[in-house]
Amino acid sequence: MATITAAMVKDLREKTGVGMMDCKQALNENNGDMEAAVDWLRKKGLSKAAKKAGRVAAEGLIAAVVSGTKGVVVEVNSETDFVARNEQFQGLVKMIGQVAIKAGDDVETIKAAKVGDITVERAIQDAIATIGENMTLRRAASLSVNDGVIASYVHNAVIDGLGKMGVIVALESTGSKDELAALGRQIAMHVAASNPQALDAASLDPEVVRREKDVMADKYRQQGKPDAMIEKIVESGLKTYYKEVTLLEQAFIHDNAKSVGQAVKDAEGKVGAPIKLAGFVRYALGEGIEKQESDFAAEVAAAAGQG
């Protein structure tokens, strides 16, 4: 039997908004498995958590760079937000983004690419030595189109193209590139605000869909509903779920009377040709990285020999 700590209960409570005692019971029932505990609470109707809530912890910057019909986002982490405001660090991240446009989105390939006489990896090591804080190129992703535009949006920008969140969107069309770019920026802003999990239902991870169906079915089964009714309810529930988590079906933040897919279709008149929303990438700084929390007062007391 797993030991259930106060920190685990606190983490589950922050993810679900459910009371401490229910969170403790959920963890006990599921041998300390956090995700199973979230599902257990949802099946009991106690939690409205729709998906995993990753704790954003790492510091640093996201770069979003577009060149012609290609765009890239990269995440470079630092230990503190103070370093993210350092001009040398900002220059480093911007340079890495520019390299990634040509080198592609494989992290090791980017690190091995040359900038002048040195590699990107050496440039990162030099910055670590100069600034005195650990840094790492964590990840990169790219999009490209044969004919169309790559649009970008950076949220909480510290300088042009660098911030705490970066989004790129790919639109394929033979129509007006200016009109496409305007639409693409609107969609990129939507992606930043709405955080879709996938482009459409077919693009969702089948395991995520299976898990959602299982949670819904178990919840209604516990309410005593017959299997034939449950199947219909789950099917209806999935349609609602897709509207919440897939980009093309989400309500467009710039006009919530229509979906993003409808907004793209409606824009074809202005653009003068069919438009295909081909893909998107959204990077939020530090998502999925756990950060160890510390009690500063306790640390000071310990250092002074009082704790």
Side-chain angles (χ1 to χ4, degrees):
M1 187 71 171
T3 301
I4 308 303
T5 66
M8 292 167 67
V9 175
K10 177 175 177 286
D11 190 20
L12 183 58
R13 186 177 188 280
E14 288 175 350
K15 288 187 175 189
T16 63
V18 175
M20 299 289 269
M21 294 307 294
D22 287 321
C23 286
K24 185 175 181 181
Q25 184 183 358
L27 288 163
N28 280 323
E29 290 286 339
N30 293 280
N31 202 30
D33 186 318
M34 188 65 66
E35 297 307 324
V38 171
D39 285 352
W40 188 88
L41 288 169
R42 294 180 63 203
K43 290 171 185 178
K44 295 292 184 183
L46 295 172
S47 171
K48 295 182 179 179
K51 47 188 179 293
K52 291 190 289 186
R55 292 167 60 190
V56 177
E59 302 298 343
L61 286 170
I62 304 287
V65 183
V66 174
S67 177
T69 54
K70 185 173 183 180
V72 66
V73 283
V74 300
E75 177 176 358
V76 183
N77 295 132
S78 61
E79 292 182 55
T80 65
D81 183 57
F82 178 77
V83 166
R85 299 193 296 271
N86 178 291
E87 288 186 3
Q88 182 183 349
F89 180 74
Q90 291 171 3
L92 174 72
V93 179
K94 196 145 194 170
M95 176 271 288
I96 292 173
Q98 295 289 349
V99 169
I101 280 284
K102 297 178 180 178
D105 55 18
D106 179 73
V107 168
E108 294 306 315
T109 302
I110 296 170
K111 286 160 68 174
K114 284 285 193 76
V115 182
D117 295 331
I118 65 171
T119 62
V120 168
E121 184 167 26
R122 177 60 187 272
I124 294 172
Q125 292 170 349
D126 289 349
I128 292 170
T130 304
I131 297 173
E133 190 169 302
N134 191 32
M135 302 163 201
T136 179
L137 169 57
R138 182 188 176 202
R139 54 181 177 160
S142 63
L143 292 173
S144 62
V145 292
N146 289 325
D147 194 355
V149 301
I150 303 295
S152 68
Y153 171 70
V154 173
H155 189 61
N156 286 339
V158 293
I159 61 173
D160 185 41
L162 299 183
K164 300 295 185 182
M165 182 188 295
V167 177
I168 53 174
V169 170
L171 292 172
E172 294 179 352
S173 178
T174 58
S176 165
K177 300 305 181 280
D178 288 343
E179 293 290 348
L180 273 180
L183 174 65
R185 181 168 174 78
Q186 283 193 326
I187 295 173
M189 292 174 72
H190 171 98
V191 170
S194 301
N195 192 18
Q197 291 186 27
L199 184 64
D200 52 26
S203 305
L204 278 168
D205 182 346
E207 179 58 25
V208 171
V209 176
R210 184 207 61 76
R211 180 180 166 191
E212 194 66 24
K213 289 172 72 173
D214 179 58
V215 167
M216 284 191 280
D218 278 6
K219 181 176 178 180
Y220 291 111
R221 197 169 288 118
Q222 288 177 27
Q223 294 176 8
K225 296 206 169 21
D227 286 347
M229 183 182 292
I230 289 173
E231 190 175 339
K232 291 180 181 178
I233 294 173
V234 169
E235 212 53 48
S236 176
L238 277 179
K239 289 179 182 177
T240 301
Y241 174 69
Y242 294 149
K243 289 179 181 179
E244 293 172 352
V245 302
T246 64
L247 176 55
L248 287 172
E249 294 194 39
Q250 285 180 333
F252 195 31
I253 63 167
H254 301 282
D255 181 357
N256 57 22
K258 61 181 71 172
S259 68
V260 172
Q262 289 168 332
V264 171
K265 189 70 179 173
D266 290 349
E268 289 181 347
K270 278 188 176 181
V271 171
I275 306 168
K276 179 184 177 182
L277 177 46
F280 71 91
V281 177
R282 177 188 187 273
Y283 274 6
L285 182 65
E287 59 193 350
I289 300 177
E290 292 289 337
K291 183 178 181 181
Q292 184 176 355
E293 294 183 4
S294 61
D295 184 334
F296 183 67
E299 287 180 7
V300 173
Q306 298 172 5

